[in-house]
Amino acid sequence: MITVNDIIKRIEELAPLSLSADFDNTGLLVGRGERQVKKVLVTLDVDEKVCLEAVKEGADLIISHHPVMFHAVKRLTENTPMERLLRCLISNDIALYSAHTNLDCAKGGINDLMAEKLGITDTTVIEEVYSQKGISEGFGRKGVLKEPMTLKELISLYKREFDVETVRYVGDEDRIIKTVAVNTGGGAFALDSLIGTDTDLFISGDFKYNQLRDAYENNLCIIEAFHYDSEKISMELFYDYLKNNFETLDVVKSKENISVIKYC
């Protein structure tokens, strides 16, 4: 029998809660650790639609990258989307576990997966959170491409690997890119630490206009990887990790969790 606690233990071997940022709300957020789990639904975001999907799928546990309840919830009526989500989870006895900034920082976590997909090797951590016995963990990764390519070629590679049709970018399309930094989701905060270094390109999201101007003026190329698009690979990571560690566990990726932002 596999329990919620069994799954939590294994996830936290990959992404310890100690790596979580102070503002974050990671861990078991709803449900009982002793609950038996036969089926898991993995998702980037969790809302009422995802909960109802879990009900339909017969899932006992939802594992999400983005957590809920960043702020106090003082009522459990049905007057807000958050309250309806929590009522849905509780009434259907579905547990919810979230691995967020700890998965961002972890060795083998979502930033390492992003670098791997883009052929970035010899990576180092951009913003260190933990270091011991030669192991460094933290936000973002920086490394070198297996083979240098133009910015235009790398944009095409990113769009293909992350299944997106649109990106914003800064820089000359013909520039040869060798050294690349990545930070999934909203990693624009790391921009200042990369300006003036040997970094040719920074791939991340949630940039403000003045930040893109700063990058341009300092000859640093940018591919703006929109938040959802760059972090939906968390579902792939969760799926593969759980299947590798629990052979009998049924794991499904959410189809209801989609990007709420549209482009035309």
Side-chain angles (χ1 to χ4, degrees), residues 14-16 19 101-110 112 137-138 141:
L14 169 67
L19 294 176
T101 50
N102 52 324
L103 192 69
D104 293 334
C105 293
K107 182 176 177 61
I110 191 170
D112 283 318
E137 297 178 290
R141 298 293 184 267

Side-chain angles (χ1 to χ4, degrees), residues 148-158 160 173 176:
M149 61 182 72
T150 65
L151 176 58
K152 183 177 181 180
E153 289 171 332
L154 197 47
I155 289 171
S156 296
L157 174 63
Y158 174 80
R160 183 170 65 252
E173 289 185 352
I176 300 299

Side-chain angles (χ1 to χ4, degrees), residues 173-210:
E173 289 185 352
D174 295 323
R175 178 173 170 180
I176 300 299
I177 303 297
K178 298 179 180 179
T179 303
V180 182
V182 300
N183 201 340
T184 61
F189 64 86
L191 177 64
D192 288 345
S193 67
L194 298 171
I195 287 177
T197 69
D198 62 346
T199 309
D200 298 311
L201 169 68
F202 183 30
I203 305 175
S204 191
D206 297 350
F207 289 98
K208 296 180 180 179
Y209 175 75
N210 66 293

Side-chain angles (χ1 to χ4, degrees), residues 83-117:
E83 291 171 7
R84 290 193 293 274
L85 164 62
L86 295 175
R87 284 175 61 90
C88 178
L89 293 168
I90 293 168
S91 63
N92 289 283
D93 196 17
I94 298 173
L96 170 62
Y97 183 91
S98 298
H100 188 211
T101 50
N102 52 324
L103 192 69
D104 293 334
C105 293
K107 182 176 177 61
I110 191 170
N111 274 298
D112 283 318
L113 179 57
M114 186 180 200
E116 179 185 331
K117 282 181 167 292

Side-chain angles (χ1 to χ4, degrees), residues 25-40:
N25 192 31
T26 52
L28 182 61
L29 304 183
V30 177
R32 300 173 289 114
E34 300 78 16
R35 196 213 195 289
Q36 182 178 358
V37 179
K38 294 182 179 179
K39 193 170 190 177
V40 178

Side-chain angles (χ1 to χ4, degrees), residues 229-247:
D229 294 329
S230 69
E231 291 201 317
K232 63 186 180 184
I233 60 171
S234 59
M235 288 187 278
E236 175 185 337
L237 190 154
F238 286 137
Y239 181 91
D240 291 342
Y241 187 75
L242 291 174
K243 294 300 288 184
N244 287 336
N245 284 279
F246 299 95
E247 292 182 1

Side-chain angles (χ1 to χ4, degrees), residues 29-166:
L29 304 183
V30 177
R32 300 173 289 114
E34 300 78 16
R35 196 213 195 289
Q36 182 178 358
V37 179
K38 294 182 179 179
K39 193 170 190 177
V40 178
L41 178 75
V42 296
T43 184
L44 172 56
D45 307 294
V46 57
D47 56 17
E48 188 178 10
K49 288 183 178 179
V50 172
C51 181
L52 292 174
E53 180 184 19
V55 174
K56 183 178 178 181
E57 288 282 350
D60 310 296
L61 169 66
I62 296 172
I63 298 178
S64 71
H65 183 46
H66 289 153
V68 296
M69 293 187 289
F70 276 105
H71 306 289
V73 178
K74 298 183 178 181
R75 294 174 178 81
L76 282 178
T77 67
E78 294 192 349
N79 292 332
T80 69
M82 179 60 65
E83 291 171 7
R84 290 193 293 274
L85 164 62
L86 295 175
R87 284 175 61 90
C88 178
L89 293 168
I90 293 168
S91 63
N92 289 283
D93 196 17
I94 298 173
L96 170 62
Y97 183 91
S98 298
H100 188 211
T101 50
N102 52 324
L103 192 69
D104 293 334
C105 293
K107 182 176 177 61
I110 191 170
N111 274 298
D112 283 318
L113 179 57
M114 186 180 200
E116 179 185 331
K117 282 181 167 292
L118 297 173
I120 301 168
T121 63
D122 301 323
T123 57
T124 57
V125 170
I126 295 175
E127 185 175 306
E128 191 173 82
V129 171
Y130 171 88
S131 179
Q132 187 175 358
K133 297 180 180 179
I135 297 176
S136 178
E137 297 178 290
F139 293 102
R141 298 293 184 267
K142 177 181 170 179
V144 295
L145 292 173
K146 291 179 181 178
E147 295 183 7
M149 61 182 72
T150 65
L151 176 58
K152 183 177 181 180
E153 289 171 332
L154 197 47
I155 289 171
S156 296
L157 174 63
Y158 174 80
K159 290 167 69 176
R160 183 170 65 252
E161 288 293 326
F162 288 78
D163 190 25
V164 296
E165 296 181 359
T166 303

